[in-house]
Amino acid sequence: MAHKAFPICASALSRSKARKIERFAKFDSTLEAYIASVFLVAQLGKNYAIDGGKRISGAALLQLAFDELKLAEREIGGEIVCVECSEGNKVLEAFYEKNGFFKAGRRVSESDGHAYTQYLSFLK
Ligand SMILES: CC(C)(COP(=O)(O)OP(=O)(O)OC[C@H]1O[C@@H](n2cnc3c(N)ncnc32)[C@H](O)[C@@H]1OP(=O)(O)O)[C@@H](O)C(=O)NCCC(=O)NCCS
């Protein structure tokens, strides 16, 4: 997990989400985006070597990550969580949307040109 400054396009936000984000972000009128400090969760993945019946669910795994972030939040602040998944991966997009994330942008990797969809959620 990393903590980094992240631009969130105002056009990706509903009024209520924008109001929530305004509490911990600065608005950059040139970029038309909020610059917020977000927790980036990378490499979220289950251990498929564990037998199916004993394997954790994706939702429970995400909850463990959020529990860790809540501890970090007490130390360093910040309430926004970001995950990225391959653009067009319907399974992962559905997984994140079902678990409370909303689509907030896209990133194209400078190294290999791969496109990622960026999802955000709030710790609380
Ligand atoms: C994402 C994840 C945590 C969700 O867990 P979950 O909600 O319990 O879902 P499941 O593991 O039961 O997977 C559901 C289906 O998605 C499929 N799936 C898993 N990862 C996938 C991926 N990266 N792309 C496409 N399909 C995927 C599974 O094969 C499964 O298919 P099935 O229903 O036909 O058997 C888990 O699937 C996982 O660890 N995936 C591998 C790592 C990964 O892709 N992480 C996301 C990084 S952005």
Side-chain angles (χ1 to χ4, degrees):
M1 293 179 207
H3 201 230
K4 65 173 205 165
F6 185 88
I8 305 166
C9 275
S11 61
L13 300 174
S14 64
R15 195 60 219 127
S16 62
K17 289 200 172 79
R19 234 178 280 129
K20 200 159 179 186
I21 279 177
E22 274 161 11
R23 303 212 313 261
F24 6 75
K26 274 192 182 158
F27 187 69
D28 182 320
S29 51
T30 314
L31 294 176
E32 289 275 319
Y34 292 94
I35 308 297
S37 190
V38 307
F39 291 108
L40 180 63
V41 176
Q43 315 283 344
L44 183 91
K46 297 173 21 167
N47 182 355
Y48 282 99
I50 292 174
D51 187 44
K54 296 187 189 136
R55 204 181 294 146
I56 192 168
S57 73
L61 184 63
L62 258 184
Q63 187 57 52
L64 288 178
F66 270 58
D67 290 346
E68 289 292 319
L69 292 176
K70 280 178 192 162
L71 296 177
E73 185 234 330
R74 276 188 224 149
E75 302 292 325
I76 57 178
E79 288 191 20
I80 307 171
V81 184
C82 174
V83 292
E84 296 183 325
C85 71
S86 282
E87 189 172 62
N89 186 326
K90 298 281 173 231
V91 172
L92 293 181
E93 290 181 357
F95 169 71
Y96 287 123
E97 282 170 20
K98 188 172 156 215
N99 284 285
F101 283 80
F102 63 94
K103 206 177 272 190
R106 78 193 284 267
R107 177 178 73 85
V108 178
S109 160
E110 282 176 15
S111 54
D112 61 8
H114 195 88
Y116 295 90
T117 304
Q118 297 172 312
Y119 281 94
L120 298 180
S121 182
F122 298 101
L123 278 181
K124 293 172 196 153

